[in-house]
Amino acid sequence: MNGRLYDIALSPFERFSLRELRADLLKNARGRTLEIGFGTGLNLPHYPHEVALVAVDPDPEMLSQAKEKAAAGKKKVDLTEASAEKLPFEAEAFDTVVATLVFCSVKEPKAALGEIVRVLKPGGRALLLEHIRYERGMAAGKVQDFLTPLWMRIAGGCHLNRNPEPYFESLDFNVERAQSLWFGFGKLWVLQKRCKK
């Protein structure tokens, strides 16, 4: 997907609330931090300065755009081309793992979440922000279902109607925060990996 077009398409949503939500979520990042689905680097300005940031994305064009942003903002980030479903890192390598607007487009959400759990240290945090299928009323969810096949072609495989929450709830996390967004069309999670007994 074209990185510049992606930023243009997201800019109204960034102004509406996404920019503030990113900042609110990412202030919780600590230590060695991995961001999956880094895209063009829209989260980059919101990380605390002391974070040692590593980022992956499967799209080389997106990563090229992210490199430009990192250089312009004088932000240090170690960028790698890789998918969320197969992370090239050792187990328990990170204090924090971040994913924002990622689980809508990964091909295998369960595998990607398993990788997050694998690379997180015990007691580490997963910081997640996703749009989800609207479940409160029939009409909106059905509209998302109808639009998803077309939207996937336009928006790099994004499923408007996916809800990853059951995957998150099935794993060994303590939920520190779970906040509904956008009248029920999105959600933010701060999850802590449970320590080994």
Side-chain angles (χ1 to χ4, degrees), residues 2-23:
N2 184 289
R4 296 188 199 286
L5 288 178
Y6 179 83
D7 284 359
I8 290 167
L10 234 56
S11 62
F13 303 102
E14 291 292 325
R15 287 193 299 271
F16 169 65
S17 67
L18 266 178
R19 190 177 294 123
E20 289 76 17
L21 288 169
R22 291 179 195 276

Side-chain angles (χ1 to χ4, degrees), residues 84-89 110-120:
E85 296 93 335
K86 196 168 183 181
L87 297 172
F89 306 109
K110 286 184 182 177
L113 193 55
E115 281 290 270
I116 288 176
V117 173
R118 183 182 70 79
V119 301
L120 258 181

Side-chain angles (χ1 to χ4, degrees), residues 28 123-125 127 173-178 189-193:
N28 296 291
R125 284 176 164 165
L127 309 178
F173 282 120
N174 292 317
V175 179
E176 292 185 16
R177 181 177 170 195
W189 295 266
V190 177
L191 306 171
Q192 184 182 43
K193 183 177 175 182

Side-chain angles (χ1 to χ4, degrees), residues 62-80:
M62 291 280 208
L63 285 177
S64 176
Q65 183 82 7
K67 283 179 187 173
E68 289 179 24
K69 282 185 185 167
K74 297 182 180 174
K75 294 270 191 176
K76 188 175 180 185
V77 55
D78 181 6
L79 295 170
T80 300

Side-chain angles (χ1 to χ4, degrees), residues 165-182:
E165 187 165 22
Y167 306 138
F168 303 159
E169 291 175 343
S170 70
L171 294 172
D172 209 14
F173 282 120
N174 292 317
V175 179
E176 292 185 16
R177 181 177 170 195
Q179 176 185 343
S180 289
L181 309 169
W182 310 310

